[in-house]
């Protein structure tokens, strides 16, 4: 089953994405913080990351740079 990481600091948007994707049989992890997202990518493998740009902890561009 594909696994998706959702990184979004707006809780309503994040939870709506989680609910929708899980209803389509995707497995999801989610967080509202760039540093937490980076930590999750170190210990888990994701098929897709939905990444917001303006995040607490570390912005989305920095997270992307570190993940690459």
């Amino acid at each position: 089953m594909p696994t998706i990481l959702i990184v979004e600091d707006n809780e309503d948007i994040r939870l709506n994405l989680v609910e929708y994707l899980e209803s389509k049989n995707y497995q999801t992890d989610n967080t509202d913080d760039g540093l937490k997202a980076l930590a999750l990518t170190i210990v888990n493998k994701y098929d897709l990351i939905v990444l917001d740009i303006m995040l607490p902890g570390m912005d989305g561009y920095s997270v992307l740079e570190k993940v690459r």
Side-chain angles (χ1 to χ4, degrees):
M1 175 182 322
T3 305
I4 300 172
L5 174 59
I6 301 166
V7 188
E8 170 61 60
D9 59 335
N10 182 305
E11 185 176 19
D12 291 334
I13 293 172
R14 187 177 71 252
L15 296 179
N16 281 333
L17 284 168
V18 168
E19 182 179 346
Y20 176 78
L21 291 168
E22 288 182 352
S23 76
K24 300 297 181 186
N25 296 320
Y26 291 100
Q27 181 177 341
T28 65
D29 286 337
N30 71 91
T31 185
D32 62 350
D33 181 90
L35 289 172
K36 292 176 187 175
L38 187 58
L40 285 169
T41 64
I42 291 170
V43 296
N44 299 305
K45 182 180 183 315
Y46 295 102
D47 298 295
L48 177 71
I49 300 174
V50 178
L51 182 61
D52 190 13
I53 300 300
M54 297 175 59
L55 295 165
M58 178 185 288
D59 67 78
Y61 291 121
S62 297
V63 172
L64 179 61
E65 184 179 316
K66 300 281 187 191
V67 168
R68 284 184 172 174

